[in-house]
Amino acid sequence: MTKRIILILAAVFLLAQFIRPSRSAATSDPAADVIAIGRPSPAVEGILRSACYDCHSDHARYPWYANITPVNWWLQDHMNDAREELNFSQWGTYSAKRIARKIKEIDEEVSEGEMPLPSYTWMHADARLSDAQRTELIAFFETLRP
């Protein structure tokens, strides 16, 4: 009986690998990207790309585990929610009021170590920010304040 249940579960798991979420991101104007608008230093651009862009832009790098169901569904849902909250690829389309609010939120979450998420930095060591990097990132966004 136990062997049969294990076989059924294995078959379900294997079949589930063929049901994948859509990875399509919105197409956005490259000129609206926060990097194009703010022209950060190479160091800050590197921080943005390694610690922020996978979830908060239309330019995600999908890790190997994004190919495993059900992890891929959870990951894509998380990324969709993150982009809905803040999408650096669409920064130039935001109103001045929204930009000011997002800068305040970025300042709070980055300075308190809430972003990038610990669950992300656990698998992405290059996204772990030092205090100096946090300060640099916050200072960059302050230059964008309307």
Side-chain angles (χ1 to χ4, degrees), residues 106-122:
I106 289 167
D107 185 342
E108 290 172 1
E109 293 189 18
V110 170
S111 64
E112 293 172 7
E114 293 177 20
M115 282 288 163
L117 293 174
S119 59
Y120 182 77
T121 58
W122 182 67

Side-chain angles (χ1 to χ4, degrees), residues 22 104 111 129:
S22 171
K104 182 180 181 212
S111 64
L129 303 180

Side-chain angles (χ1 to χ4, degrees), residues 9 13 15 17 20 41-42 46-47 60 74-75 86:
L9 289 175
F13 179 78
L15 288 173
Q17 301 312 304
R20 300 188 175 274
S41 69
I47 294 168
W74 173 83
L75 187 62
L86 172 63

Side-chain angles (χ1 to χ4, degrees), residues 7 9-10 20 22 47 52 56 60 80 90 97 141 143 145-146:
L7 286 173
L9 289 175
R20 300 188 175 274
S22 171
I47 294 168
C52 309
H56 292 286
N80 291 344
Q90 296 176 10
K97 184 178 178 181
F141 280 104
T143 68
R145 190 175 291 283

Side-chain angles (χ1 to χ4, degrees), residues 1-2 5 56-57 62 76 80 87 93 107 113 137-138:
M1 184 69 163
T2 305
I5 292 172
H56 292 286
S57 82
Y62 286 90
Q76 192 62 53
N80 291 344
N87 189 333
T93 67
D107 185 342
L137 192 58
I138 292 166

